Every structure is written in C-alpha cells, then in structure tokens.
Amino acid sequence: MGDEVRRWGVSSVRRPPVVADLTWVTAGAMTANVAGYLLQMLAGRWLGVAGFSEFASLLAVQLLCAVPALAMQNVVAREVVRGAGLRAVRAMQWRCAALVAAVAVVLIPVVATVLHVGVPAAAAALGAAPALVILSGEQGILQGANQFRALATVLALAGTARVAPALIALALGGGSAGALLAAAGGLVAAAFLAGRIVRSATASDSADLLLDGRTATVETRERAIGVLPVLRAVQVQAALMALSSADLIVVRIVLDDADASRYSLGTIATKIAFWLPQAVGVVLYPRMAQPTHSARAIRDALSVLSLIGVVAVVGAALAAPLAPLFAGQDYAPIQGMLWIFALHGAMLAVLQGALLSAIAVERTGLAMVTWVGLAVEVALMLAFADSIGSLIGIAVCVAAVTTTIVALVVLRTARNDDGPGR
C-alpha cells in the first residue's frame, strides 16, 4: 500500500500535457453528454408533451442527487493531489454513500408530493445517489492522479451505462419510473467497473516520476479523511446545481404541461453549453489545488470557459432551425429562443469553474453568493414568470449577476494570492 500511495501522490503533482488531457477528457465527457441528450430527446418524443415534463423534472432531481457525488470527486481529487492514501479515500467514499442513501430514503415522499409524481418514480430517481457517490469517488482518484485517459474511459462508460438501460426501458413502455430505475442499475454496474479500472491504473503506474528534472518524492498520508470536507464541498456544489436546475422544477408550477415540456426540452441547449467545457475544470482542477499553480490555473480556466461559452451561444443560434426536426414540431415555438437557453448554460459553466476553484483552495464560503442568487431566482419566477420567455429571461439575468460577482471575487483573490514565480 505504501508504494501504491507514493506512486499516486507523485503522479498527482507533475504537470501534464494539458492539450492531450483536455482532448481525452472532452472525448469521454462528450460521449456521456451526447448519450444524455439522446435520452432526453427520445424521451421527449416517446413520452410526448404531456408526459415529458414529469421525466425532465425527475432528471433534475437526479441531478441534484449528484451534488454529493460531484463534491466527492472534487474532495477526493484534492486529497490525492496532497498525497492521501487510497485506503483512506475509499473509506470516506463508503461513509458518504451510506449517508446519502439514508437521506435519499427520507426524501422519496417529499419529491413525490412536491412534483406530483408516483412514489416508484421518485424512488427510482433518488435511488441512483449512492452509486453516483462511489462512482465519482473513483473518478476523483483518477483526476487527482492526472490519469486523464483512464478518467475519460470511466466518464464514457458511466454515461453509456446510465443511458442505454433507460432507453431500453422507455422503448419497452416502462415510462419514467422504469427508465430511471434502469438508469440507476446501470450506474451501479459503472461504479463497479470504475473501481476495476482504478485498480488497473494503480498497478500499471510507474513508481519513479521526474519533476523539473529531479526525482520527486511525496510524503504518504494514511490518516483517515473525515466527512466534513465533503459536506463543505457539497454545499458549494448544491448551490450550483440548485441554481442550474431550479427552473426545471418551478416550470411545473408556473406553466401548463405543454409549455413546461417545451421549456424542459429547451434546457437541453442549456445543458450542452453548461457541460461542453467540463474538461477544462477537470483537467485544471489538480493545478488549482496546488499552491504554486493555483492562481494561474484559475485565470486560465475562467478565460477558456468564457471563450467556449461564446462559441456555444453562436452554435445554438445557428443550429436552432434543426431542433424541430429532431424533437418534433410540437417544440417549434422554442427554436428561436435556444440561443438564450445556451447563454444561460454558458454563464453557469463559468460559475462552475469559479466555484471549483473555491473548493480547490478550501474557500467554500463563497457559495453564499450563489445561494442568494438561487433565492432571488425562485422568488422572481414564482412572482412574475408566466411564459417560456419570461422564465428563461429571469434565469439568465440571475445567472449573469451571480456569475459576475463570484468570478470577480475569485479573480481578485487569485491576484492577491499570486506571487513571484507563479
């Protein structure tokens, strides 16, 4: 175990070839994301405008359930960068998974009541949460160790394992509950396979690596890792995911089923713009967690995320006429607004990058700005949103203000922390 930990600790501090790593992670993430978009588009067609809003809202709940998993990945990656042992990391994973499972059980009747869905459907949506925690922990090990090729494989595997069973269930008439239950089963299988991939990468990693022309050594840490760091990261990820998903929950309250389904399909453009640059944060995060590289990595990440956001908005505007061809003519009324949905996602992607840097340097109090933004957004939507346009307009305005404030604070902090040689 000592040699194994030493290999991973050393691997985590060397500077990787960023372009190659971005390519690998982008390929893996896009495979997973394309599979997810395919699931939503086919579900929108098969379930129709009357039934898709329920499925989309439960997917939003499932995304919120992924908050502890995302926090787990970030904390694990940070701890691996700092030399934590795999035994301690995995012990933390299982403790958090058990805690998440207990919370999910309590939330089932709450979700069923609030969203006006059946208990089986709510249970299926929430049932994926513990598997997501374990899966994301394995991804965090690979991320913190700069094993981005293996990480890309796991990302693609997870997306495919989640979507393929869900599509089969939908095709067989299983409805929302059947599709979500099948997706949860696929994630369990993906978590098991991810563990095997991590063990294989650990066994094949070289024990001696060079850093700046010298042999690098890292002190091994076998101490236990508590749940508290994960909980602090959870509230950051929760703020981001809640802000990015609140409109999909509120839409079922303020709009009728047909417009709610159209809005829900429009948010596919939001998700594309949000998740398209995911690789940027994944690859630069280990550098954000290293004091000698943190400030520059944060500036690089926010700059690249902003540029990709511009490209995503322009792409959505150009591709808008194709939307009804894929989703059906029932969704034609929203095609002219797809660029606005993409703008929403692009701003949230920049916000995600800024909040990731806060987790990397353990300044998670910055999430309070996002929580305030969430409260303002929900209040404005409930009070004033009465159409698709007004709902997405409020979401965009709140995201713009929140992202600007958080990004300015992060950049100012990075500038103050920057020193000679960084």
Side-chain angles (χ1 to χ4, degrees):
M1 175 59 73
D3 290 340
E4 176 188 57
V5 174
R6 190 178 304 110
R7 286 199 299 270
W8 284 86
V10 172
S11 178
S12 68
V13 298
R14 76 184 191 275
R15 182 172 179 172
V18 175
V19 174
D21 293 337
L22 282 172
T23 302
W24 279 111
V25 176
T26 298
M30 286 306 297
T31 299
N33 291 338
V34 168
Y37 306 144
L38 178 64
L39 172 62
Q40 292 189 64
M41 293 185 70
L42 290 178
R45 181 178 290 274
W46 293 343
L47 296 174
V49 293
F52 180 65
S53 63
E54 174 186 337
F55 184 71
S57 295
L58 288 171
L59 282 181
V61 169
Q62 197 170 74
L63 181 61
L64 293 177
C65 290
V67 167
L70 293 171
M72 170 64 69
Q73 179 171 340
N74 292 327
V75 171
V76 167
R78 185 182 70 206
E79 294 299 321
V80 169
V81 166
R82 297 176 180 179
L86 298 187
R87 185 178 301 165
V89 165
R90 286 210 168 98
M92 178 183 64
Q93 287 176 218
W94 285 103
R95 287 196 298 271
C96 289
L99 181 61
V100 165
V103 174
V105 170
V106 174
L107 288 178
I108 290 173
V110 177
V111 170
T113 300
V114 172
L115 296 184
H116 308 292
V117 299
V119 171
L126 292 164
L132 282 170
V133 169
I134 299 299
L135 174 61
S136 294
E138 300 300 318
Q139 291 174 181
I141 294 171
L142 296 172
Q143 180 185 2
N146 286 333
Q147 295 287 334
F148 292 113
R149 183 178 300 190
L151 176 59
T153 301
V154 172
L155 289 172
L157 170 68
T160 304
R162 168 178 170 265
V163 169
L167 286 177
I168 294 172
L170 284 172
L172 294 176
S176 297
L180 291 167
L181 182 61
L187 286 171
V188 171
F192 173 78
L193 292 174
R196 294 181 65 88
I197 290 172
V198 169
R199 285 190 289 273
S200 176
T202 304
S204 62
D205 197 18
S206 174
D208 297 319
L209 294 168
L210 296 181
L211 179 65
D212 297 329
R214 300 182 303 275
T215 300
T217 58
V218 175
E219 181 181 356
T220 299
R221 293 192 292 127
E222 291 289 355
R223 63 172 178 82
I225 304 172
V227 174
L228 186 59
V230 179
L231 295 179
R232 285 196 290 262
V234 162
Q235 65 95 15
V236 179
Q237 293 287 357
L240 176 66
M241 291 299 103
L243 187 64
S244 66
S245 303
D247 56 336
L248 278 171
I249 295 175
V250 174
V251 69
R252 284 180 59 82
I253 301 173
V254 300
L255 301 182
D256 60 39
D257 285 345
D259 277 348
S261 290
R262 293 187 182 103
Y263 185 95
S264 298
L265 199 74
T267 59
I268 293 178
T270 302
K271 292 180 176 66
I272 291 174
F274 182 46
W275 293 111
L276 179 66
Q278 179 183 10
V280 176
V282 170
V283 171
L284 292 179
Y285 182 83
R287 291 172 57 196
M288 292 180 188
Q290 300 172 36
T292 55
H293 297 296
S294 179
R296 181 174 179 179
I298 292 170
R299 291 193 296 266
D300 290 348
L302 296 185
S303 298
V304 174
L305 289 170
S306 299
L307 178 60
I308 295 175
V310 172
V311 174
V313 173
V314 174
L318 296 176
L322 300 176
L325 298 179
F326 291 100
Q329 290 301 317
D330 286 337
Y331 298 97
I334 65 167
Q335 74 177 64
M337 291 185 278
L338 288 182
W339 71 270
I340 306 177
F341 283 96
L343 178 61
H344 185 212
M347 288 185 294
L348 291 173
V350 177
L351 178 61
Q352 181 183 45
L355 292 176
L356 277 176
S357 72
I359 296 175
V361 298
E362 297 188 82
R363 291 184 178 134
T364 53
L366 188 58
M368 183 56 63
V369 177
T370 309
W371 284 116
V372 173
L374 172 66
V376 171
E377 178 178 272
V378 172
L380 291 176
M381 286 179 173
L382 292 175
F384 301 108
D386 57 2
S387 67
I388 295 175
S390 60
L391 193 64
I392 188 60
I394 291 171
V396 167
C397 290
V398 172
V401 174
T402 304
T403 299
T404 299
I405 294 173
V406 173
L408 288 175
V409 172
V410 165
L411 289 172
R412 180 177 179 181
T413 303
R415 188 182 306 116
N416 291 339
D417 290 346
D418 205 358
R422 287 192 187 185

